[in-house]
Amino acid sequence: MPEGISDNKGNIYMAKASPPNVFKAYLEQFQKDFSLFLSLRSEEIIQGGRVVLTFLGRSIDDPRSKDCCLLWELLAKSLLDLAAKVSLFSFKLSKLLALLVMEIN
């Protein structure tokens, strides 16, 4: 996770509603991580060897376009929904356990 994205509430990645600093932070983190990745892979590859990389790209320069962010926004919504259901289930379970303990005592 990039540093300085605490104001990106409710998102697991860049979203339309993300502030500009979030986009900058993810770009800087990508550049750092990808440079390290390429450096480490270059040490592993034999002379004349090949590496195939596949990327999810976009056709528009604007990182807020649906071209790239829609997939991540849908994933974020799904994960938040799942987290809410797990939280509700945990709350109901804890209430049930409390009632059982009171009933036993």
Side-chain angles (χ1 to χ4, degrees):
M1 279 301 249
E3 295 289 324
I5 60 167
S6 58
D7 56 346
N8 196 33
K9 301 278 189 233
N11 297 308
I12 61 168
Y13 194 60
M14 300 177 296
K16 281 185 178 185
S18 297
N21 67 299
V22 170
F23 290 93
K24 184 175 187 276
Y26 272 104
L27 173 62
E28 290 170 356
Q29 188 69 47
F30 172 78
Q31 290 171 334
K32 178 179 153 190
D33 291 347
F34 195 60
S35 293
L36 178 61
F37 170 81
L38 291 176
S39 173
L40 294 173
R41 295 302 75 76
S42 72
E43 295 172 12
E44 297 173 346
I45 252 180
I46 60 170
Q47 187 172 353
R50 306 268 192 282
V51 173
V52 176
L53 303 174
T54 305
F55 294 94
L56 178 64
R58 60 179 188 259
S59 60
I60 300 170
D61 283 342
D62 182 8
R64 297 172 199 260
S65 73
K66 286 186 179 179
D67 221 19
C68 68
C69 292
L70 183 60
L71 175 68
W72 296 111
E73 287 182 36
L74 292 174
L75 179 61
K77 287 178 184 178
S78 298
L79 289 173
L80 289 171
D81 185 46
L82 179 62
K85 287 179 181 175
V86 167
S87 179
L88 180 62
F89 174 76
S90 297
F91 175 73
K92 287 181 178 180
L93 183 61
S94 64
K95 282 184 77 173
L96 176 63
L97 290 173
L99 289 172
L100 288 173
V101 168
M102 287 186 346
E103 193 67 33
I104 292 171
N105 291 332

